Amino acid sequence: MTILELKHDILADNKREAQVIRDALARSGTLMVNLMSSPGAGKTSTILGIAKRLRDKLSMAVIEGDIDSKVDSLKVKEVGVTAVQINTGGACHLDVPMMKPAIDLLDLDMCDLVIVENIGNLVCPADYDIGADLSVMILSVPEGDDKILKYPLMFSMCDALIVNKTDYLELPSNNFNIDRLKERMSTLNPHALIFETSAWLDSGYDKLCAYLEDAILAKKSRSTT
Amino acid sequence: MTILELKHDILADNKREAQVIRDALARSGTLMVNLMSSPGAGKTSTILGIAKRLRDKLSMAVIEGDIDSKVDSLKVKEVGVTAVQINTGGACHLDVPMMKPAIDLLDLDMCDLVIVENIGNLVCPADYDIGADLSVMILSVPEGDDKILKYPLMFSMCDALIVNKTDYLELPSNNFNIDRLKERMSTLNPHALIFETSAWLDSGYDKLCAYLEDAILAKKSRSTT
């Protein structure tokens, strides 16, 4: 089982190195969120929804992970938020060696919140610790409520699940049952908070932002004690 | 660059081993399609749309790749099509060692068409040759037309691109521009055919099935000459 052992070693090394990032974030009292989802589930629109509400209340920055292109970091910069782009050039997830230079480009003492938009992938990013305080995943309604059965790791490890594109729940073609999802989630990961958002309706972000603000306050109180 | 070299070796080994599958498919004149997409883009509904039209005209089987669960293979079996389930137990793509036992469960001499539903992932499956004749990818409208910029490998290597959930193009919230996608595709991968389907409207499958039937005929003529 050479390959499995190698994967184990890579993940263990990565976890150990993630502590360096975690220590830096602890010193500055910065909350870092690892935002994960399938491609197109709404990571960037969620960041924009949060930025709209929090950018004048606190200092935030975004680290944009993409295999290629700068499309998303440009969108974030347009709303006046600092954004650092990581292009993985093929890799299906972010890891600590990619994160470190991006973190170095930020003045953490001036950041209350850093949101990391991971590669759009419901599988691999869940395996890699990037030093974040919170793992938040998005599932969009068009993807279907059965994804929790097929991709259980990310659903089981996240601190919060955002169900996005809730406006699609009203479509005649919809077969996403949000109660069924919550029931399955309560068995698999009962501690995860569940938020419901719609970028199109610009709804659901207030609760999500309150959650982030509480977490920032808790982090700051820990960093100063 | 040890890790990059290792990846190269793994991919090269996999490609070499894929020839064993390719040889078996050549002997039986079976067309194998590697169907790839993000989670929830509509791989299973596309297979069901094809099965509805082709199951009485030719003999087909499905290999269902999932990290966990048997949800999809049960759906396929319900419509009377043979389905073999592969559970990868965490791996983000299918590869030859997973494919071989699944292929062995099929009587290839009795199969004109085998559709392999790969793991829902727009990144990793594009790297792994599984011995298929055709690589077909699905992009669903809710994912957005910018995915070709962010995940270029799969778009550049596929033989056909299916744009699914076209009924969403009519929604007021839609910002997917299919002409823009086609234009980008004509630059990145001009040889790929593009199909437009909607599982909800049950539309677009006739053209897709005609493409598959032509490919099956071509394969059979090669296998008997």
Side-chain angles (χ1 to χ4, degrees):
Chain A
M1 303 302 276
T2 316
I3 289 178
L4 281 181
E5 278 168 20
L6 180 70
K7 184 179 173 189
H8 178 79
D9 283 351
I10 290 172
L11 294 179
D13 285 353
N14 191 73
K15 199 168 182 65
R16 205 161 36 242
E17 289 176 40
Q19 192 58 40
V20 179
I21 295 179
R22 227 183 291 280
D23 290 345
L25 295 167
R27 282 193 297 276
S28 60
T30 305
L31 183 85
M32 191 164 89
V33 175
N34 184 7
L35 188 59
M36 298 171 284
S37 79
S38 299
K43 291 183 292 303
T44 312
S45 61
T46 299
I47 289 172
L48 295 176
I50 293 167
K52 185 176 165 183
R53 285 156 182 86
L54 295 187
R55 69 188 161 193
D56 297 328
K57 296 175 77 174
L58 47 82
S59 60
M60 67 179 282
V62 172
I63 296 176
E64 282 290 345
D66 278 299
I67 289 178
D68 205 346
S69 97
K70 294 184 174 181
V71 179
D72 290 343
S73 58
L74 292 174
K75 283 185 193 163
V76 171
K77 283 175 183 168
E78 266 173 25
V79 300
V81 171
T82 302
V84 176
Q85 180 77 51
I86 301 176
N87 279 140
T88 67
C92 54
H93 59 269
L94 297 177
D95 59 18
V96 174
M98 298 179 208
M99 284 292 296
K100 275 181 182 166
I103 293 273
D104 286 344
L105 289 173
L106 298 173
D107 181 356
L108 286 185
D109 287 329
M110 298 297 287
C111 290
D112 301 309
L113 171 66
V114 175
I115 304 181
V116 183
E117 180 174 339
N118 216 312
I119 307 298
N121 182 334
L122 217 48
V123 189
C124 318
D127 268 330
Y128 285 80
D129 187 354
I130 57 166
D133 300 280
L134 295 176
S135 293
V136 177
M137 72 163 289
I138 304 175
L139 176 70
S140 66
V141 168
E143 291 174 78
D145 59 41
D146 60 349
K147 295 301 163 287
I148 188 169
L149 302 175
K150 298 183 185 177
Y151 306 90
L153 178 62
M154 195 172 289
F155 287 87
S156 67
M157 58 75 78
C158 68
D159 299 294
L161 164 65
I162 301 171
V163 181
N164 189 33
K165 307 192 190 183
T166 53
D167 46 301
Y168 288 23
L169 289 170
E170 306 305 321
L171 295 179
S173 58
N174 176 62
N175 58 10
F176 188 107
N177 185 326
I178 202 159
D179 293 327
R180 188 164 52 201
L181 177 75
K182 287 178 178 172
E183 202 180 298
R184 285 169 177 163
M185 198 64 182
S186 71
T187 309
L188 185 67
N189 183 355
H191 302 296
L193 294 174
I194 300 179
F195 298 93
E196 299 173 35
T197 59
S198 162
W200 170 245
L201 300 174
D202 193 30
S203 70
Y205 297 109
D206 291 340
K207 278 189 187 174
L208 180 60
C209 288
Y211 163 68
L212 293 175
E213 286 184 283
D214 285 349
I216 292 166
L217 283 177
K219 179 82 185 263
K220 287 211 179 297
S221 73
R222 281 198 303 276
S223 76
T224 51
T225 51
Chain B
M1 303 302 277
T2 319
I3 289 178
L4 282 182
E5 279 167 20
L6 180 70
K7 186 181 173 191
H8 177 79
D9 284 351
I10 290 172
L11 293 180
D13 285 352
N14 191 72
K15 199 168 183 63
R16 209 164 30 244
E17 288 177 42
Q19 192 57 41
V20 179
I21 294 178
R22 228 182 289 282
D23 290 344
L25 295 167
R27 281 193 296 275
S28 60
T30 305
L31 184 86
M32 193 164 88
V33 175
N34 184 6
L35 188 61
M36 297 172 285
S37 79
S38 298
K43 291 182 293 305
T44 313
S45 61
T46 299
I47 289 172
L48 295 177
I50 294 166
K52 186 178 163 183
R53 284 155 183 87
L54 295 187
R55 68 186 162 196
D56 297 328
K57 295 175 77 176
L58 47 80
S59 59
M60 66 179 283
V62 172
I63 296 176
E64 283 291 343
D66 278 299
I67 289 176
D68 205 347
S69 96
K70 294 185 176 181
V71 178
D72 290 342
S73 58
L74 292 175
K75 281 185 194 164
V76 172
K77 283 178 183 167
E78 265 172 27
V79 299
V81 172
T82 302
V84 175
Q85 180 76 51
I86 300 176
N87 280 141
T88 68
C92 53
H93 60 268
L94 296 177
D95 60 16
V96 175
M98 296 178 208
M99 285 293 296
K100 275 182 183 167
I103 293 274
D104 286 344
L105 288 173
L106 298 174
D107 182 356
L108 287 184
D109 288 327
M110 298 297 289
C111 289
D112 301 308
L113 172 66
V114 175
I115 304 180
V116 183
E117 179 173 339
N118 215 313
I119 306 300
N121 182 335
L122 218 47
V123 190
C124 317
D127 268 331
Y128 285 81
D129 187 354
I130 56 166
D133 299 279
L134 295 176
S135 293
V136 177
M137 71 164 289
I138 304 175
L139 176 70
S140 66
V141 168
E143 290 174 78
D145 58 41
D146 61 348
K147 294 303 161 288
I148 189 170
L149 302 174
K150 298 183 184 175
Y151 306 90
L153 178 61
M154 195 173 289
F155 288 87
S156 67
M157 58 73 78
C158 68
D159 299 293
L161 163 65
I162 301 170
V163 180
N164 190 32
K165 307 194 190 183
T166 53
D167 46 299
Y168 287 39
L169 290 169
E170 307 304 322
L171 295 179
S173 59
N174 177 61
N175 58 9
F176 188 107
N177 184 327
I178 202 159
D179 293 328
R180 188 164 53 202
L181 177 75
K182 287 178 179 174
E183 202 181 300
R184 286 169 176 165
M185 200 64 182
S186 72
T187 309
L188 184 67
N189 183 355
H191 301 297
L193 295 174
I194 300 180
F195 298 93
E196 299 173 34
T197 58
S198 162
W200 169 245
L201 300 175
D202 194 29
S203 70
Y205 297 109
D206 290 340
K207 279 187 187 175
L208 180 61
C209 287
Y211 163 67
L212 294 175
E213 286 183 283
D214 284 349
I216 292 166
L217 283 176
K219 179 79 186 264
K220 286 212 179 295
S221 73
R222 282 197 303 277
S223 76
T224 50
T225 53

